[in-house]
């Protein structure tokens, strides 16, 4: 039996929850028997030696080490992000804890290199990159005039810094930046950013906050978008950036973490700081861009490849 321990998809809408959903969908299609287990109930379960338990790394800081030591199942950590990637405060204890897992599944080569070089993980690491979708409904003829910022509201995304620096500029009357993302992950940070908008009322005509958007609607929206702004100080993968590039959107980014490795998917501008992001945004705002779609293979072919990667990552633990 495969047990999957991860937050429900509707708890925090993010690239990580989307990726988790893709893995479960792939397991269904290859007819593996799996069971989703909430973190509130998994400690009550008895696991057999032949079981495989895949645990989302979002739970890593709070996992009970005594429970992990006594668990008989094969333990696989699904690494979206490790706490030590953002702060080295608990890096030493994290190194010890990672060694309790038989195997890691990571979302990028960047994350694998980190786990090997910085964390010294001695076991097998499988790279399972998210499946990047593109809306099949909209073609090149669509008018592209939107500027998007797609991010969960948390300090690592640096939306506050972006707003503060943006307030120093005189903006064109028709410039509007649409921000989509889940605020529930850090309400304090979200309220802090709203306070910045109150402090600079001149931004209110230029910043539109929409909250969570359905993923299919987001894919369609990319085809109406001229630019995606990536203000994050770190990304272990960068789902929004990858999807935007695949849809032909120009991405203006700080290029932190894995983002540099994604820019080959399409058109991107790598910036040294937030001021440069704003600078290039203002330049490109009035320009007409020709979308560059990533069409290396069909959606079905890419999905089948993703399924095969999931099978390879799981079969080793199931079969021994």
């Amino acid at each position: 039996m495969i047990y999957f321990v991860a937050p429900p998809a509707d708890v925090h809408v993010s690239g990580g929850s989307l990726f988790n959903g893709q893995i479960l969908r792939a397991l269904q299609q290859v007819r593996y028997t799996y069971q989703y287990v909430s973190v509130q109930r998994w400690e009550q379960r008895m696991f057999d030696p032949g079981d495989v338990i895949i645990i989302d790394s979002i739970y890593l800081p709070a996992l009970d080490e005594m429970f992990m030591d006594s668990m008989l199942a094969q333990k696989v950590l699904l690494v979206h992000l490790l706490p030590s990637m953002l702060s080295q405060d608990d890096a030493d204890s994290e190194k010890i804890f990672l060694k309790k897992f038989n195997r890691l599944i990571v979302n990028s080569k960047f994350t694998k290199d980190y786990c090997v070089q910085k964390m010294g993980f001695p076991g097998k690491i499988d790279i399972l990159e998210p499946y990047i979708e593109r809306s099949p409904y909209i073609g090149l003829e669509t008018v592209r005039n939107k500027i998007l910022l797609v991010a969960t509201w948390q300090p690592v995304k640096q939306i506050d810094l972006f707003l503060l620096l943006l307030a120093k500029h005189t903006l064109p009357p028709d410039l509007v930046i649409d921000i989509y993302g889940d605020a529930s992950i850090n309400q304090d940070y979200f309220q802090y950013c709203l306070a910045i908008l109150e402090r600079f009322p001149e931004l209110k005509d230029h910043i539109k906050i929409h909250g969570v958007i359905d993923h299919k609607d987001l894919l369609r929206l990319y085809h109406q978008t001229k630019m995606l702004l990536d203000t994050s100080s770190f990304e272990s993968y960068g789902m929004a950036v990858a999807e935007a590039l695949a849809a032909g959107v120009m991405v203006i980014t700080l290029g932190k973490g894995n983002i540099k490795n994604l820019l080959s998917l399409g058109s991107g501008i790598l910036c040294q700081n937030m001021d440069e992001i704003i600078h290039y945004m203002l330049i490109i705002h009035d320009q007409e861009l020709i979308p560059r779609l990533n069409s290396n293979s069909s959606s079905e072919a890419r999905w089948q490849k993703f399924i095969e990667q999931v099978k390879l990552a799981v079969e080793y633990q199931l079969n021994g």
Side-chain angles (χ1 to χ4, degrees):
M1 173 71 77
I2 300 170
Y3 294 94
F4 195 79
V5 183
D10 57 353
V11 171
H12 296 305
V13 181
S14 65
S17 61
L18 179 67
F19 184 35
N20 288 349
Q22 292 176 356
I23 293 173
L24 293 180
R25 216 166 90 223
L27 289 174
Q28 286 178 332
Q29 290 197 14
V30 296
R31 304 187 189 283
Y32 280 140
T33 302
Y34 75 89
Q35 184 173 339
Y36 169 81
V37 183
S38 69
V39 73
Q40 290 82 9
R41 297 186 60 187
W42 70 308
E43 293 183 357
Q44 303 169 14
R45 292 187 169 273
M46 296 297 294
F47 296 100
D48 296 324
D51 292 335
V52 175
I53 180 166
I54 302 174
I55 306 170
D56 189 320
S57 62
I58 195 172
Y59 294 125
L60 184 58
L63 288 178
D64 182 352
E65 293 194 28
M66 293 297 292
F67 174 69
M68 290 295 296
D69 286 337
S70 62
M71 190 165 62
L72 295 174
Q74 298 294 306
K75 300 178 287 291
V76 181
L77 185 67
L78 175 61
V79 180
H80 302 287
L81 178 73
L82 294 174
S84 63
M85 288 176 162
L86 303 179
S87 170
Q88 289 290 304
D89 291 346
D90 297 317
D92 289 339
S93 60
E94 192 172 281
K95 288 179 183 179
I96 295 171
F97 194 66
L98 282 182
K99 293 176 182 177
K100 298 178 182 294
F101 289 88
N102 305 88
R103 199 178 187 98
L104 303 184
I105 298 175
V106 301
N107 58 2
S108 65
K109 183 179 182 300
F110 173 87
T111 304
K112 177 179 179 178
D113 290 345
Y114 179 87
C115 292
V116 173
Q117 298 168 13
K118 300 293 186 181
M119 292 288 101
F121 183 73
K124 173 69 174 175
I125 302 177
D126 294 296
I127 299 174
L128 180 63
E129 292 196 357
Y131 166 66
I132 303 304
E133 291 188 76
R134 190 169 71 228
S135 171
Y137 307 109
I138 307 295
L140 294 176
E141 71 281 357
T142 307
V143 175
R144 292 174 178 255
N145 54 13
K146 291 185 177 294
I147 303 174
L148 295 190
L149 199 165
V150 180
T152 52
W153 292 82
Q154 50 184 325
V156 70
K157 304 302 183 180
Q158 300 191 116
I159 300 174
D160 57 327
L161 176 59
F162 173 72
L163 295 175
L164 288 169
L165 294 176
L166 192 65
K168 296 181 179 180
H169 293 262
T170 301
L171 302 176
D174 62 338
L175 186 143
V176 176
I177 301 165
D178 293 291
I179 302 180
Y180 290 88
D182 189 355
S184 66
I185 195 168
N186 193 325
Q187 274 289 335
D188 289 341
Y189 179 72
F190 178 61
Q191 292 300 323
Y192 173 64
C193 291
L194 292 183
I196 294 174
L197 292 176
E198 292 292 333
R199 183 175 153 197
F200 298 101
E202 62 272 21
L203 288 180
K204 288 191 174 181
D205 290 335
H206 303 285
I207 301 294
K208 304 299 179 185
I209 297 174
H210 302 279
V212 174
I213 182 173
D214 180 81
H215 184 240
K216 295 297 183 185
D217 292 335
L218 178 60
L219 293 177
R220 294 186 186 99
L221 189 60
Y222 283 139
H223 287 273
Q224 303 166 36
T225 298
K226 177 182 286 188
M227 286 177 276
L228 178 82
L229 309 179
D230 170 42
T231 60
S232 182
S233 64
F234 183 82
E235 292 288 350
S236 62
Y237 184 74
M239 183 77 84
V241 169
E243 289 181 338
L245 289 169
V249 177
M250 169 67 73
V251 173
I252 306 177
T253 175
L254 294 175
K256 299 299 184 180
N258 186 58
I259 297 298
K260 283 184 182 178
N261 301 325
L262 297 176
L263 293 182
S264 62
L265 294 174
S267 301
I269 296 177
L270 192 59
C271 299
Q272 297 298 313
N273 51 54
M274 199 74 74
D275 284 315
E276 281 196 11
I277 285 184
I278 296 172
H279 171 73
Y280 284 110
M281 177 191 72
L282 293 173
I283 289 176
I284 295 171
H285 171 60
D286 291 324
Q287 294 183 2
E288 184 174 343
L289 298 180
I290 300 175
R292 175 189 164 191
L293 291 180
N294 173 24
S295 57
N296 292 337
S297 57
S298 69
S299 294
E300 179 61 26
R302 287 183 284 110
W303 175 245
Q304 290 302 321
K305 181 179 179 181
F306 180 81
I307 290 176
E308 289 303 315
Q309 290 175 324
V310 170
K311 285 177 62 178
L312 288 174
V314 173
E315 280 182 351
Y316 178 84
Q317 294 298 336
L318 285 175
N319 301 327

